[in-house]
Amino acid sequence: MDLSLIKKRWALVLFALGSLLVIAAVACGGDDGVDAAPSGGAAPAAAATARPADAAAAAATAKPAEAARPADAAAAAATAKPAEAAATVAQAVATNTPAPVSGAMGGPSGSIVYGMRTLESVYGIGYVGPYRTSATRQIGGVEEELFVFEDGNPMSPNLIDTWDIDVAGTRARLTLKKGLKWQSPIGFENRDFGELNAAELVEWFNRSNATTNPDTTYGDAGDFAAIFLEAKVIDEYTVEIGLVSPVFYCLPISQFGCLSAARGPHKVTTVEDKGLEWARSHHVGTGPYVQSDDCVPGDRCSVEAVSEHWRQVANVAKITAIQVPEATVQISMLKNGQIDMVVLDYKLLPAVVASGEFRFLETMPGGFVGQSILFPGNLWENQHARTAEPLNPWDAPPYEIDYPWIGNVFGDQGNTCTDGNGPGGAGSLGFTLCGNAPYTDTNNPPGMDDMEQARLVRLALSVAIDRGEINKVLLNGIGTAIYSEYMGPEYPGWDPTRMTGCFDPLGNKITCSGTMQSVPWKLTDGDLVEADRLLELAGYPLVNNVRQGFGELVLQAYAAEAGPVGLEVADTIMSDWARLGIPISGLVEDYGGVISPRMRQRIQFLPVLKNGDVHSNVYPLDWPMPTVDTSSSRPGWGVGFESQAGAKWLFEILGEKDASVRSEKHLNWVDWSMFYVQYAGVFQVPKGIVVNDRIKSWNGRQQHYSNVSGNPEFIVLN
């Protein structure tokens, strides 16, 4: 493929979009964002067109049916090699297994209405759309992924028939199933959009990837660029794609969200066939649902089931999403039958479900989503992990002032650091490039460097949080405490008795001594005495109930993945910190428009209550931590801190063929991160949605980045 032609072609497209391209950098999805998951089929079924007011009545005739379990979804791919085996075996022979047709569910019937806090526009071609989800993906079912999470393996083939990675880890080869038809949106039933083949898959890869298309605004563009080079067609159904570095664990093309990406292919060549505006507003995928003809941003959008599908015929014929921003209105509409399901603020759940009329349904049973305090500004990488480009973190805004919670591993005006050498051990730590922050550091206790001083401060702030009280009072006991973004109850490998051990900033284990002592995985709730002791050790004594030399601490928060209750949690945390004598204030800003761009540019220095890229407790133990916690994701989104240790371990885990070794490296990374308190974990709550008694069950696949399943085809009605 001639990439120069692509660039010229899409330069015109991008110019035409103009001010419509509002890039709202939203980490881990939006409030109602569901990372959709489904796959190919036939003609759309005739479906009910009831509007919200009469949707409940229209579905009264819905046939009770048992949905196929998610485990059945991969039956057609039973011969495909699992990720680890593929990494060690020469290229497999492509079998091109025909996609089976399944009509065993009795056909779709009935309709339901889904209330959403925010309903986005439809973005039919993601690589020229804003950096946010599409209305059709919020509902799910239109597009499906190449791989899915089955039996603990996030790389179970779905649209893929066979795949492998060469022994050197330089390229991946993927062979699609045959007969995966692009589904026709409502109103275009008579148009044949063809099938998903290698040529279409290559176009999706290369137009989406920031490496092969620098102008892309696709949400996973940076994640693709971190792993993939150019994709090429090998034969009608086989694609080969180069790898930036050896990757044997996972690829960023799974519904689960491996390596920070969680979308599937959609037809992008509709731009040439139908024009830009049509392509932008019509989402064409291979899933068991198709886009209806009623999609209006901020109002409503529907998807309708197809009558035949290779994997799963849906039970519900039509799902209409409507925007309902206010919680009180959401509850009222639930009660009067105008909506059948809604994602409610977790604080409101107990009262709503108490009567038994409604229930909280976990659509991915066992999945939790957490929130933590992130400590952006701790930029501990001096060179880009993939390109070796100088990053010069000491010149960044977080190092303009000696903030107590930000550790400076390099130098300052009073502790000069030079390339390959310098006081404070910069040379011995292996920093070939070095620099000095503009301030003079004069407040470190004798013998203590700035990294240790700031680590003690972050640990004190974490220890002071009364997680148990937050869960009891604000979450009505439905949540559990977590102590890091990376670890807590319900996580793989959780051990409440484990201690971190001690490390240097580069990840080397060292002997614990002095103030550097092992940190327990499970902290004592609200231990203000210990928090005070740690702050005293760090050189911030309490005098007349005022923490000397600390200055004001501003906590930022927004209604993140756990909903508006996060703002109340932030107030409680600030109250805990104020009891330590620290001047405290809160700042609520728009995440997508303000905080996320600052994170992306690595200029954020205020702590933030949200989550990073670990959006779920459900993942394999040998999973690497997210790329966004290191410079590997630059210039894409990041959490605002970076570590040379993490950047090194990321590529070590990705390039390791032995799962047991990967697991040990994962736990070692957890220990290091908890020792340096990159995150102060706060709570996690079960993922799910409030439903009425019309909905019997919804057992979807595990998805890392979603609070609600993106597999509406598994919904079963009473």
Side-chain angles (χ1 to χ4, degrees), residues 222-269:
D223 306 304
F224 279 7
I227 303 298
F228 292 136
L229 299 173
E230 182 183 359
K232 299 178 180 179
V233 173
I234 300 301
D235 60 35
E236 186 176 4
Y237 294 101
T238 303
V239 168
E240 185 172 284
I241 185 165
L243 302 176
V244 173
S245 61
V247 178
F248 295 115
Y249 165 73
C250 210
L251 295 173
I253 45 177
S254 169
Q255 178 183 11
F256 180 69
C258 288
L259 309 182
S260 305
R263 290 198 62 174
H266 51 277
K267 188 174 178 67
V268 296
T269 57

Side-chain angles (χ1 to χ4, degrees), residues 14 17-31 33 35 120-123 125-135 137 208 210 215-224 259-263 280 561 590-593 595-602 610 612-613 627-628 633-639 705:
L14 291 169
L17 285 173
S19 61
L20 293 176
L21 286 180
V22 181
I23 303 174
V26 180
C28 305
D31 292 337
D35 288 318
E120 299 286 357
S121 300
V122 172
Y123 304 119
I125 45 172
Y127 69 99
V128 294
Y131 184 33
R132 52 167 57 112
T133 194
S134 169
R137 283 183 54 77
S208 302
D215 296 323
T216 178
T217 57
Y218 192 62
D220 292 337
D223 306 304
F224 279 7
L259 309 182
S260 305
R263 290 198 62 174
R280 288 184 66 249
E561 288 71 14
D590 174 63
Y591 179 78
I595 301 176
S596 182
R598 288 203 296 255
M599 292 280 208
R600 178 188 293 271
Q601 298 169 49
R602 274 69 171 183
K610 65 174 305 292
D613 222 32
T627 58
V628 299
S633 66
R634 288 194 184 215
W637 178 77
V639 293
Y705 289 121

Side-chain angles (χ1 to χ4, degrees), residues 81-88 153 155 163 165 248-250:
K81 301 180 187 302
E84 185 164 286
T88 59
N153 178 16
M155 291 294 290
W163 72 291
I165 296 173
F248 295 115
Y249 165 73
C250 210

Side-chain angles (χ1 to χ4, degrees), residues 10 70 169 171 393 493 537 695 710:
W10 301 116
R171 64 104 185 110
L537 286 175
I695 298 174

